[in-house]
Amino acid sequence: MQAADRRDAVTAGVATATALGLRVDETTVLQDSNRVTLRLLPCDVLVQVAREAHGAAPFEIDLAQRLAATGSPVAVPDPRVPPRVYPQQGFQVSLWTYYPSVRRPEDAPAEYAGALRRLHAGLRGLDVAAPHFTERVEQAQRLVADHDRTPALADADRAFLGDTLRELHRSVTARTTTDQLLHGEPHPGNVLATPDGMRFIDLETCCRGPVEFDLAHAPEPVAEHYPDVDRDLLRDCRILTSAIATTWRWDRDDHFPDGARLGIEWLEELRSALERHRPDRRR
């Protein structure tokens, strides 16, 4: 968020927690992107604040509760307050249990893979309306084609991203044989390595697709511990998810920290990844 929006979001989060009877003496911003994540003390609650237009919080709360009921490794809403979205000053505020992290999740790839398998098992048992992963690809394609939304993207880079998204979209859908409900972005930033095991957060990205699409977001060693992975499909999904993330960094409305620099870096990494795998893709 922009500085003024972030300040207002923090105010809304604190006001909501206070109105619910939780004591707040200290506020720490843990994450700032399309929404702000706060840790409030001494009540020790995790608060997520997004603009009302964001609209994902009710879905996320419902999905987290349904998954928790199956024993899936997810973060859950704070039990001290009703599990719902609280409107506050033009924002959506939700309150979650705070889990301390004991290490980086990527330091334990086997545990990471096991937790992801359990999450996938829980997701398979739910009947939830969610977009297909291809909708995310198509959104990125529209963004690349929109010069007004991506004014800083050079013509050559625009053509490269457009071609890459189109080619990988076709390749991944052609290889995919089984779809299921997925987390959508189970990268290390969305995994907490807590004292009682790993838990997944930020379920707003839930979508349908092959498990390889989820694995593409995790560190490479994680896939070594996940059974029955289609390696060719996983490779294509890794490059595809990289192309999508790179495209988002060129959006003029993107507020990802240091996004402009990352957009340039990720373009070069994407070119290198394609060059490394191009001989394999021709077979």
Side-chain angles (χ1 to χ4, degrees):
M1 291 185 180
Q2 299 292 345
D5 288 339
R6 180 172 60 251
R7 184 169 55 250
D8 291 343
V10 171
T11 300
V14 171
T16 300
T18 301
L20 290 167
L22 301 176
R23 181 180 168 186
V24 180
D25 295 335
E26 181 182 338
T27 303
T28 303
V29 176
L30 301 180
Q31 185 177 17
D32 176 16
S33 55
N34 60 337
R35 61 183 177 181
V36 173
T37 302
L38 314 169
R39 183 187 181 188
L40 306 182
L41 293 170
C43 61
D44 212 8
V45 64
L46 191 80
V47 177
Q48 292 189 328
V49 188
R51 283 291 182 188
E52 286 182 344
H54 186 63
F59 170 82
E60 186 175 10
I61 290 172
D62 176 66
L63 184 57
Q65 291 180 289
R66 294 172 67 177
L67 283 168
T70 70
S72 298
V74 295
V76 297
D78 190 292
R80 292 171 291 180
V81 301
R84 65 180 182 84
V85 175
Y86 296 88
Q88 182 74 242
Q89 304 168 24
F91 292 95
Q92 287 187 338
V93 181
S94 56
L95 286 76
W96 298 80
T97 300
Y98 176 79
Y99 299 94
S101 294
V102 295
R103 64 184 182 282
R104 299 182 307 170
E106 56 265 46
D107 289 340
E111 184 182 355
Y112 198 140
L116 189 56
R117 287 182 65 193
R118 289 169 53 211
L119 178 67
H120 285 158
L123 287 165
R124 280 194 296 273
L126 299 183
D127 183 13
V128 174
H132 197 261
F133 83 95
T134 52
E135 292 188 28
R136 197 176 301 178
V137 184
E138 290 160 3
Q139 288 171 357
Q141 289 176 305
R142 289 193 293 270
L143 188 60
V144 167
D146 190 336
H147 289 248
D148 290 335
R149 287 281 304 278
T150 53
L153 193 57
D155 289 344
D157 294 334
R158 190 181 305 278
F160 166 71
L161 275 175
D163 291 345
T164 301
L165 288 165
R166 183 171 55 256
E167 178 185 352
L168 270 298
H169 186 180
R170 182 171 57 248
S171 176
V172 170
T173 52
R175 291 182 184 275
T176 300
T177 57
T178 303
D179 285 344
Q180 75 148 77
L181 201 60
L182 304 173
H183 179 286
E185 290 185 8
H187 54 69
N190 284 336
V191 187
L192 304 177
T194 75
D196 64 346
M198 293 189 183
R199 293 177 181 265
F200 291 87
I201 61 173
D202 286 357
L203 299 171
E204 64 172 345
T205 56
C206 179
C207 63
R208 293 190 177 276
V211 294
E212 286 82 2
F213 186 80
D214 261 2
L215 281 167
H217 292 83
E220 291 191 15
V222 173
E224 301 300 321
H225 301 276
Y226 198 107
D228 303 322
V229 174
D230 183 327
R231 298 294 169 178
D232 291 335
L233 177 57
L234 176 59
R235 177 201 60 209
D236 284 355
C237 283
R238 285 197 187 281
I239 301 174
L240 177 60
T241 56
S242 175
I244 294 170
T246 300
T247 300
W248 288 338
R249 300 291 77 82
W250 290 92
D251 185 352
R252 69 181 181 192
D253 298 324
D254 181 52
H255 300 309
F256 196 85
D258 210 13
R261 178 185 62 81
L262 290 174
I264 296 171
E265 289 185 5
W266 291 356
L267 264 175
E268 294 310 309
E269 291 174 5
L270 183 59
R271 284 191 171 92
S272 296
L274 281 168
E275 189 61 33
R276 287 196 303 272
H277 295 298
R278 187 161 281 121
D280 293 336
R281 293 180 55 75
R282 283 198 293 263
R283 285 203 291 268

